[in-house]
Amino acid sequence: MAVKKISWRSMFPSCYRPPPVVGEDAATTVEEEEKWKNHGTRRSSLHRLSISDLSKVSSSTLSEDLSASIPGSNLHVFTLQELKVVTHNFSSSNLLGEGGFGPVHKGFVDDRLRPGLKPQPVAVKLLDLDGLQGHREWLTEVIFLGQLRHRHLVKLIGYCCEDEHRLLVYEYMPRGSLENQLFGRFSAALPWSTRMKIALGAAKGLAFLHEAEKPVIYRDFKGSNILLDSDCTAKLSDFGLAKDGPEGDDTHVSTRVMGTQGYTAPEYLMTGHLTARSDVYSFGVVLLELLTGRKSMDKSRPSREQNLVEWARPMLNDPRKLARIMHPRLEGQYSEAGAQRAAALAYQCLSFRPKQRPTMCKVVEVLEPLPDLDDIPVAFFVYTVSTTKDLDHKGKENNAKKETDHHDSDHHRSRPRNRHDHGRHCVKGQRRQSKDRDSPGFHDGK
Ligand SMILES: Nc1ncnc2c1ncn2[C@@H]1O[C@H](COP(=O)(O)OP(=O)(O)O)[C@@H](O)[C@H]1O
Ligand SMILES: [Mg+2]
């Protein structure tokens, strides 16, 4: 039986003008701006295409039509062969990570591949044909990321849709995922102000989605989906589970429960009712991970500590208890006031009652000053400077009293103290976290 192909454009009347990319840096070049002028007036995000608009379209008709329908996004349509070349045949040495969709490989593209294509490293995500995800998740990412542009969302450069193969090509994020930075075996400890910068950036990304005229619920907020640029600017990636928010008088979207154990809001788990406040709950979990350095679920811990939220919740509003659960790798080098504010915020985000959770705009407001708070203790080394008298004395004793050596050893490290309180000690190796000094020697690992 012949199957009638439905063209994507045929679904829309001839007066249809493709919608612009929506977001704060939607048009990035003058040419793009011109292009939009030629296409007509900028439409509001209410006209953003949604996944339901495309559900009737056969996947085989989508490849070219899809990109033509979201111009201004400048999505490039690549062939599988091209992406093989770009990633050295998806070589394992280029593997960046892997999630439910499939493996992600690093590659490099330039204008030899497509005229006008900026020379740049890219990340290519390849659908695992034996996995649980498929065309729908791929299409969801293309539709959302193809149209939404924001400083805190990863940029989609293009895609491939060939036979059953589905690939996505993103801008490459040099510091990989927050999950790797926080829990990776070879990663240096993230400094406090960087943690707050990441929380703030990710919160801005979510707030942008929730506040769009046609709101988006992200649904899979977690460390492995938060990617970090070279300066640790956080960007949300992986829109495979994103959903259009409720419309009109609806208070929620009813949907199959999807997401990741340990991050999913309890009411969504129980009822399947999805709202923007479900994302706020997941944000609270990630904020807790940043504070404590613990994973949302960790089966290797004693049973009462396995679920991070249950374990940490009772300690979040008590400053003394909070100090006990802060990430030991911070070595006390954090702003106490900042930690208390962040912990109180996490507590609210993790409220059982969705309505008591703050909006993401409120979250951004609370987080905004935290990366800059500088009441951070200083770790320092105490040098005991020997006087001539000491030396004479020492000379006489000549190697005796070995047992007291540790008292005047050159590298006796003291407990972190407030940086205004180094008094009479001779201080060396003072370490202070501040905005301009918070880039540690991260292990890239990619
Ligand atoms: N643009 C990118 N730059 C660098 N690493 C990336 C990029 N995209 C994904 N990764 C790595 O691949 C992992 C899986 O990517 P993700 O998009 O979350 O896939 P999935 O949809 O399968 O969960 C990420 O956690 C990250 O480590
Ligand atoms: Mg993912």
Side-chain angles (χ1 to χ4, degrees):
M1 188 182 75
V3 179
K4 191 177 170 232
K5 278 195 172 181
I6 308 167
S7 149
W8 159 239
R9 266 174 228 128
S10 72
M11 289 176 61
F12 294 87
S14 56
C15 63
Y16 169 75
R17 291 262 193 282
V21 175
V22 178
E24 68 180 21
D25 61 353
T28 48
T29 63
V30 178
E31 292 108 80
E32 281 174 35
E33 206 51 76
E34 275 306 311
K35 210 157 141 192
W36 283 118
K37 281 184 198 149
N38 295 337
H39 276 296
T41 54
R42 278 177 168 265
R43 289 177 166 220
S44 79
S45 55
L46 277 173
H47 296 88
R48 177 171 57 75
L49 293 181
S50 56
I51 188 81
S52 54
D53 294 330
L54 294 171
S55 54
K56 302 176 206 88
V57 184
S58 112
S59 61
S60 58
T61 64
L62 269 175
S63 187
E64 293 293 335
D65 275 357
L66 181 58
S67 92
S69 305
I70 327 175
S73 63
N74 274 345
L75 286 184
H76 293 277
V77 188
F78 297 106
T79 65
L80 182 61
Q81 183 53 33
E82 284 169 337
L83 296 180
K84 272 187 184 166
V85 172
V86 154
T87 57
H88 299 290
N89 211 7
F90 302 109
S91 97
S92 54
S93 61
N94 285 337
L95 187 71
L96 295 172
E98 182 154 14
F101 187 87
V104 182
H105 294 265
K106 188 176 176 184
F108 194 88
V109 297
D110 59 25
D111 59 1
R112 283 174 298 180
L113 203 57
R114 289 287 178 284
L117 185 54
K118 188 178 120 193
Q120 59 188 305
V122 290
V124 181
K125 183 157 87 172
L126 169 74
L127 176 66
D128 173 1
L129 296 174
D130 299 323
L132 294 174
Q133 297 191 14
H135 176 75
R136 195 173 179 84
E137 286 78 13
W138 171 86
L139 187 57
T140 305
E141 285 223 56
V142 176
I143 296 295
F144 281 111
L145 272 182
Q147 296 178 88
L148 300 166
R149 285 275 196 275
H150 189 267
R151 179 175 156 71
H152 294 289
L153 304 187
V154 80
K155 187 175 177 206
L156 185 68
I157 294 170
Y159 61 81
C160 166
C161 172
E162 218 175 275
D163 304 325
E164 73 277 31
H165 302 288
R166 297 289 180 276
L167 297 94
L168 295 152
V169 181
Y170 311 90
E171 65 174 317
Y172 169 66
M173 298 292 284
R175 292 208 195 280
S177 72
L178 171 61
E179 181 184 58
N180 288 342
Q181 288 293 342
L182 203 51
F183 306 120
R185 264 208 296 163
F186 304 110
S187 302
L190 280 170
W192 169 254
S193 54
T194 309
R195 292 176 197 229
M196 291 302 99
K197 177 182 173 172
I198 293 169
L200 177 60
K204 285 181 177 173
L206 271 186
F208 166 71
L209 297 178
H210 292 177
E211 295 304 312
E213 281 178 83
K214 190 168 177 175
V216 176
I217 303 175
Y218 181 65
R219 216 170 28 150
D220 203 14
F221 190 84
K222 57 180 178 178
S224 63
N225 289 341
I226 301 167
L227 303 182
L228 304 175
D229 213 340
S230 51
D231 65 352
C232 279
T233 299
K235 302 196 185 201
L236 306 188
S237 184
D238 191 356
F239 274 65
L241 297 188
K243 273 284 222 197
D244 284 307
E247 285 181 69
D249 294 335
D250 293 344
T251 55
H252 61 263
V253 183
S254 287
T255 173
R256 201 150 57 95
V257 176
M258 306 271 271
T260 306
Q261 200 198 6
Y263 296 90
T264 319
E267 75 285 354
Y268 173 50
L269 261 182
M270 284 184 293
T271 63
H273 292 177
L274 184 70
T275 67
R277 304 285 166 131
S278 323
D279 282 346
V280 179
Y281 181 92
S282 310
F283 181 85
V285 180
V286 171
L287 191 53
L288 266 195
E289 291 186 330
L290 283 163
L291 294 177
T292 62
R294 292 181 176 224
K295 295 181 180 175
S296 66
M297 289 298 276
D298 190 346
K299 301 272 185 222
S300 68
R301 292 190 182 273
S303 56
R304 61 180 187 83
E305 295 184 22
Q306 288 182 0
N307 182 310
L308 176 61
V309 174
E310 282 171 20
W311 173 73
R313 194 188 261 122
M315 315 207 231
L316 294 175
N317 285 327
D318 177 333
R320 267 182 311 164
K321 287 184 181 163
L322 176 63
R324 281 191 248 138
I325 65 167
M326 292 296 287
H327 193 181
R329 286 188 76 190
L330 282 167
E331 298 182 340
Q333 303 280 288
Y334 58 88
S335 155
E336 233 174 80
Q340 284 167 23
R341 279 195 239 170
L345 181 65
Y347 186 85
Q348 286 172 9
C349 293
L350 296 168
S351 172
F352 287 111
R353 297 198 188 146
K355 285 199 174 133
Q356 285 184 355
R357 294 175 202 150
T359 61
M360 283 315 298
C361 282
K362 181 71 197 164
V363 170
V364 169
E365 216 178 287
V366 175
L367 288 174
E368 198 94 56
L370 301 198
D372 298 334
L373 291 185
D374 67 354
D375 60 322
I376 298 175
V378 179
F380 55 87
F381 301 94
V382 177
Y383 271 63
T384 307
V385 182
S386 302
T387 62
T388 324
K389 212 169 125 196
D390 289 337
L391 288 174
D392 286 350
H393 182 64
K394 267 193 187 156
K396 279 179 204 151
E397 295 209 345
N398 204 15
N399 290 336
K401 288 179 149 189
K402 258 195 180 165
E403 71 278 14
T404 61
D405 273 1
H406 66 278
H407 288 307
D408 54 10
S409 108
D410 274 354
H411 294 89
H412 180 65
R413 184 153 185 199
S414 104
R415 268 176 48 234
R417 298 156 61 115
N418 188 292
R419 73 193 161 90
H420 302 298
D421 184 31
H422 44 76
R424 285 164 296 145
H425 293 273
C426 179
V427 177
K428 188 182 177 215
Q430 215 178 54
R431 223 174 97 213
R432 188 191 150 208
Q433 286 179 322
S434 69
K435 269 186 296 177
D436 52 340
R437 281 207 220 158
D438 64 5
S439 292
F442 291 101
H443 171 77
D444 196 340
K446 309 294 173 205

